């Protein structure tokens, strides 16, 4: 059994090839352009993403099945007859619908979205992006009038063009704010709220199942990238959790068959996956800006090579009253404040570039710790927390995260857990329960907390003060 997993992320597309003997390799990876055409707007070229997915499929060679993981909330419009994109991809980070969201919130529409979708009103989710396209894109409106409009997340676009089957999976649908979390179907009231014709949306399918064929090869799984990572980490029991530090930092903890609704703490109930008829739920909390913050610092010239920010001789910056809040795209869980602004506090004329970088790493870690704190009040997150992504390779960052969370952090030498989780789900779709790939749990590295609890509390209090100053800035 040889499986290809297409990992289509915010900054790149890659393909991992895995087999039942545990052999894995990235066969191809390619970055794509991020467009920031206006302040708060983030777009991708739909055709560029599709070309990159096709290149990855070609690079994988002969395989028995294909899995596809996607960005989640990123979405677009296209023509059902020609397959032509009618818009660019509006990326999950995009904030263009904030003013409209504020209007809906003033009308108490969030009561409906929390009740039906389990999600707060936020520009993050796909629903308002679809509504924006219908309001502002003439080609989209013309296609709707002619009866040929399709609206969907990127997975549905890829599947439509590659297999001829326009479909989305339940995990992705649960991130749109248009799916009723209890029924796993598109909700007509939510669609009316955002002005989205339900007939333009793709059918919702289980995560593991039939999504058509690319050539002769079946596509047997489709899933949001964060849920793929959760599966790739080996999380299967209630309370198992992971954080993936990619463009953003996203934590998920399994809640089993229970939908956990705690909007006051900023946590989002979501679908972890559906295999056969069994739906497994999770709670989700995110930090919008993680590795994107580090990339920004690199572009700014604060450091040259990543090795420069892997260790620091000075004590933690937060202990010296230098704090950074990573809110370039606003604050997500547990604050949900898109008007927040990124900031440094505590700089002096003697502050160095290294100290600024040190404080950035600490700010990302403490933002992630805020998310886990919110989760453990309701889920009982396990004492060992598994992480992956680029920042999981930074020893200073991981140790600081262990310190501020006061729990063991687990990293692995194998970092492609998102793609591997997608491959494991695709193997399950190909062969049923017998189609399992071995868990990649070898070569683990444990980081134990080593700072006094009183010191950590002081750091966290200082960071909370900084976060409060960043709120409602825009």
């Amino acid at each position: 059994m040889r499986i290809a997993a297409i990992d289509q992320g915010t900054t790149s597309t890659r393909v991992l090839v895995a087999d039942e003997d545990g052999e894995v390799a990235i066969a191809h990876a390619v970055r794509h352009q991020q467009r920031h055409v206006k302040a708060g707007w983030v777009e991708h070229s739909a055709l560029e993403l599709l070309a990159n997915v096709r290149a990855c499929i070609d690079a994988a060679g002969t395989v028995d099945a294909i899995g596809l993981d996607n960005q989640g909330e990123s979405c677009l419009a296209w023509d059902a007859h020609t397959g032509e994109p009618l818009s660019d991809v509006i990326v999950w980070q995009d904030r263009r619908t904030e003013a409209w969201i504020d209007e809906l919130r003033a009308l108490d529409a969030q009561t409906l979205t929390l009740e039906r979708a389990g999600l707060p009103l936020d520009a993050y989710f796909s629903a308002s992006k679809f509504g924006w396209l219908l309001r502002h894109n003439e080609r989209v409106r013309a296609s709707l009038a002619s009866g040929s409009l399709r609206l969907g997340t990127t997975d549905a676009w890829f599947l439509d063009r590659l297999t001829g089957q326009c479909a989305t999976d339940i995990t992705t649908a649960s991130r749109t704010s248009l799916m009723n979390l209890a029924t796993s179907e598109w909700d007509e009231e939510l669609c009316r709220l955002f002005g989205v014709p339900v007939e333009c949306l793709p059918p919702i399918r289980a995560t593991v199942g039939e999504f058509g064929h690319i050539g002769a090869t079946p596509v047997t799984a489709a899933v949001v990238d964060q849920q793929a990572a959760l599966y790739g980490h080996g999380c299967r029991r209630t309370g198992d959790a992971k954080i993936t530090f990619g463009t953003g930092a996203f934590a998920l903890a399994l809640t089993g068959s229970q939908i956990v609704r705690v909007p006051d703490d900023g946590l989002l109930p979501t679908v972890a996956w559906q295999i056969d008829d069994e739906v497994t739920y999770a709670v989700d909390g995110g930090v919008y800006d993680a590795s994107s913050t580090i990339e920004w610092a690199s572009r700014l010239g604060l450091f040259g090579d990543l090795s420069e920010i892997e260790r620091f001789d000075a004590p933690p910056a937060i202990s010296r009253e230098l704090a950074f809040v990573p809110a370039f795209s606003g604050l997500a869980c547990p604050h949900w404040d898109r008007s927040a602004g990124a900031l440094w506090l505590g700089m002096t004329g003697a502050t160095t570039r290294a100290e600024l970088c040190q404080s950035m790493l600490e700010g990302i870690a403490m933002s992630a710790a805020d998310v886990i704190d919110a989760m453990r009040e309701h889920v009982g997150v396990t004492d060992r927390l598994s992480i992956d992504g680029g920042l999981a390779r930074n020893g200073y960052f991981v140790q600081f995260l262990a310190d501020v969370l006061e729990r063991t952090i687990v990293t692995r030498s194998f970092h492609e857990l998102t793609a591997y989780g997608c491959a494991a789900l695709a193997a399950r779709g190909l062969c049923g329960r017998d189609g399992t790939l071995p868990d990649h749990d070898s070569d683990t590295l444990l980081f134990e907390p080593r700072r006094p609890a009183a010191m950590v509390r002081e750091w966290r209090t200082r960071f909370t003060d900084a976060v409060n100053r960043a709120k409602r800035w825009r």
Side-chain angles (χ1 to χ4, degrees), residues 66 159 162-165 205 209-220:
I66 294 172
L159 290 167
L162 295 170
T163 73
Q165 294 192 25
R205 298 182 181 174
E210 297 180 3
F211 290 91
H213 289 71
I214 300 175
T217 307
V219 179
T220 57

Side-chain angles (χ1 to χ4, degrees), residues 24 26 61 98 229 239 275 319 333 338 363 366 460:
V24 293
I26 295 294
E98 281 181 338
I275 300 175
S319 71
C333 177
R338 281 287 195 153
M366 285 188 284
R460 300 288 299 276

Side-chain angles (χ1 to χ4, degrees), residues 291-467:
S291 293
S292 59
T293 299
I294 304 305
E295 290 186 7
W296 171 81
S298 176
R299 292 196 304 271
L300 215 61
L302 294 183
F303 68 93
D305 188 84
L306 288 172
S307 63
E308 297 174 28
I309 60 170
E310 289 181 352
R311 64 181 302 273
F312 301 93
D313 295 329
I318 192 69
S319 71
R320 291 172 284 126
E321 300 183 345
L322 176 62
F324 176 79
V325 180
F328 293 103
S329 305
L331 294 169
C333 177
H335 312 285
W336 290 103
D337 180 5
R338 281 287 195 153
S339 70
L343 59 74
W344 267 294
L345 283 172
M347 291 184 293
T348 72
T351 300
T352 66
R353 289 185 297 174
E355 289 172 326
L356 294 177
C357 292
Q358 186 178 15
S359 68
M360 284 193 299
L361 292 170
E362 294 169 9
I364 297 166
M366 285 188 284
S367 296
D370 286 346
V371 176
I372 297 300
D373 282 352
M375 284 185 173
R376 62 184 173 190
E377 292 294 323
H378 306 281
V379 181
V381 176
T382 54
D383 290 335
R384 288 164 57 107
L385 181 65
S386 184
I387 71 170
D388 69 311
L391 284 171
R393 306 173 196 180
N394 184 302
Y396 180 83
F397 173 81
V398 180
Q399 182 59 59
F400 189 85
L401 181 65
D403 290 339
V404 295
L405 275 173
E406 300 180 87
R407 64 182 56 211
T408 302
I409 301 298
V410 182
T411 66
R412 294 172 172 82
S413 59
F414 178 78
H415 296 288
E416 300 293 341
L417 292 172
T418 297
Y420 193 76
C422 180
L425 288 164
R428 182 76 180 266
L430 178 67
C431 302
R433 292 185 180 275
D434 294 332
T436 57
L437 297 178
D439 286 339
H440 263 275
D441 56 2
S442 59
D443 298 323
T444 58
L445 187 61
L446 304 182
F447 290 77
E448 303 288 351
R450 61 188 188 190
R451 300 285 185 173
M455 179 183 294
V456 170
R457 285 196 298 271
E458 181 181 340
W459 294 351
R460 300 288 299 276
T461 299
R462 187 168 294 156
F463 181 72
T464 297
D465 183 20
V467 168

Side-chain angles (χ1 to χ4, degrees), residues 38-94:
K38 293 183 181 180
W41 291 33
V42 188
E43 297 179 346
H44 297 157
S45 163
L47 291 176
E48 182 184 11
L49 295 188
L50 180 63
N52 291 348
V53 170
R54 283 177 165 150
C56 284
I57 291 169
D58 291 342
T62 302
V63 294
D64 299 301
I66 294 172
L68 172 67
D69 72 67
N70 70 85
Q71 298 178 30
E73 300 77 11
S74 302
C75 58
L76 71 157
W78 68 98
D79 187 278
H81 302 317
T82 66
E84 179 187 9
L86 303 174
S87 73
D88 287 321
V89 174
I90 303 180
V91 181
W92 57 271
Q93 297 163 305
D94 191 284

